[in-house]
Amino acid sequence: MAQLTKTAIMDAFVRLLGQTPMEQITVQAITAECGISRNTFYYHYGDIYALLKAVLQRDMDLLLVQRRPGEHGSEGLRRLFAYVSGRQRMVCHIYSGMGHAELEEYLIEATHDLFMAYIRDTAEGLSPSEQDMEFICCSYQFMLIGMLLEWVRRGMKGDLADLLERAQRLFFHGTRRILEENSQ
């Protein structure tokens, strides 16, 4: 029952984000949208930012679950970019309603496992240090997140698929070589 309530709250929030800038969404609007009390909201989430973090984590977990063993990391990126493209209004409302640094932090947390899964698969048969894999992961995250945030900042103009193709050429094709050079 508690999980159903949490899901209902998240879904109501996502619907509101599709229509309303984040800074205009209140707990009262969320509770009215899903038919619960304020106390129920606060039982599950400390505030709207905690709810946003939960929504982003849930969505990134869904993207990660779709990953098939041996799948190239670019497929996960395609799903991530399709997620963003399919929710442009929501992303724009989140971006305009919170600080750049806060959104970046959420994206970093939400994409870490996606990138690490790709890096671990690519490192199969090699022995890079955990520290080197984390460094590569962070490098990829910051590069991709920076590109995504710049795309959003510019009003989501331009082809996101082209951005993905460029990202693939820049870092995915060289990941194995980087890992080989840094294996112990």
Side-chain angles (χ1 to χ4, degrees):
M1 181 67 159
Q3 189 58 41
L4 288 174
T5 303
K6 287 176 83 167
T7 300
I9 294 168
M10 284 192 255
D11 292 344
F13 182 55
V14 168
R15 281 192 302 277
L16 290 169
L17 277 172
Q19 306 162 5
T20 310
M22 189 168 151
E23 68 269 15
Q24 295 176 13
I25 297 175
T26 63
V27 171
Q28 182 178 357
I30 296 167
T31 59
E33 177 74 18
C34 63
I36 61 165
S37 70
R38 289 176 61 86
N39 287 341
T40 301
F41 174 90
Y42 286 114
Y43 175 78
H44 294 288
Y45 302 101
D47 58 20
I48 289 177
Y49 291 102
L51 174 57
L52 174 63
K53 186 175 182 176
V55 166
L56 292 175
Q57 189 62 56
R58 174 193 69 177
D59 291 353
M60 289 304 112
D61 287 347
L62 289 173
L63 290 174
L64 195 58
V65 167
Q66 293 173 20
R67 190 173 178 284
R68 294 176 304 280
E71 175 181 88
H72 193 272
S74 62
E75 292 305 314
L77 268 183
R78 279 188 218 296
R79 282 191 295 275
L80 176 62
F81 279 41
Y83 169 86
V84 172
S85 290
R87 292 160 183 80
Q88 287 187 13
R89 287 186 60 126
M90 182 182 99
V91 171
C92 188
H93 288 154
I94 292 169
Y95 182 80
S96 69
M98 63 188 307
H100 177 91
E102 291 168 313
L103 181 56
E104 186 176 298
E105 181 182 329
Y106 286 130
L107 290 172
I108 289 167
E109 287 180 30
T111 60
H112 180 268
D113 291 345
L114 182 71
F115 278 97
M116 279 305 291
Y118 163 70
I119 291 165
R120 287 187 195 293
D121 281 354
T122 305
E124 190 171 328
L126 302 174
S127 56
S129 70
E130 190 67 26
Q131 185 178 10
D132 284 346
M133 289 193 297
E134 281 290 338
F135 182 81
I136 294 167
C137 178
C138 288
S139 299
Y140 287 0
Q141 284 180 283
F142 281 107
M143 187 185 314
L144 179 70
I145 291 167
M147 289 187 298
L148 279 172
L149 290 175
E150 182 62 14
W151 178 74
V152 172
R153 189 187 69 74
R154 291 184 177 185
M156 299 182 178
K157 292 181 176 39
D159 186 9
L160 199 53
D162 180 55
L163 187 64
L164 174 60
E165 291 301 320
R166 288 178 181 200
Q168 283 180 264
R169 283 194 312 268
L170 286 174
F171 51 84
F172 279 126
H173 294 296
T175 303
R176 178 75 181 188
R177 189 181 78 251
I178 292 167
L179 289 164
E180 287 171 347
E181 290 173 5
N182 291 291
S183 288
Q184 301 168 345

